Amino acid sequence: MPSADRERTGPAWGTFLELESPAEGPLHARLARALRTAVTGGRLAAGSTLPASRVLAADLRCSRWVVTEAYAQLVAEGYFEARSGSATRVRARPGGSVRGGAREGGDRWTPRYDLLPGR
């Protein structure tokens, strides 16, 4: 059995991430939006490890570039943290844990800078 089949995380990521219709923009932007929503909605908890870009790309049946672009965007926005030689993880928010998209104090966390294209 090829090693790529053993590394697959299964179809769960394909159903877990709602990538909308192609009319909603390029796939890497839709993936970033879906991952951002999963983090702010509490479906991906702080400290959670994300699948390797090659594995997620295989699960979603897209190129690795799509996944690396989405991950890079969310690292730049502060949702993820990435270190060379280590897994990409959901970043823990300073000043309290994020639960259901809101801090313990009740206010919603937003990134300091909006780095989305065209804004």
Side-chain angles (χ1 to χ4, degrees), residues 6 8 10 12 26 29 31-32 34 37-38 43 52 55 62 64 71 75 87 89 91 96 99 106 108 110 112:
R6 286 194 321 255
R8 289 183 57 118
L31 178 58
T37 301
R43 291 186 293 159
V55 173
C62 64
R64 182 175 172 247
Y71 280 9
V75 167
R89 298 180 186 278
R91 176 180 237 147
R99 185 179 175 120
R108 188 172 179 89
T110 56
R112 181 176 294 173

Side-chain angles (χ1 to χ4, degrees), residues 114-119:
D114 185 1
L115 301 176
L116 290 174
R119 297 212 182 205

Side-chain angles (χ1 to χ4, degrees), residues 27-51:
L27 184 56
H28 69 278
R30 289 184 283 146
L31 178 58
R33 193 168 32 248
L35 288 167
R36 187 181 305 108
T37 301
V39 171
T40 59
R43 291 186 293 159
L44 283 176
S48 296
T49 302
L50 296 159

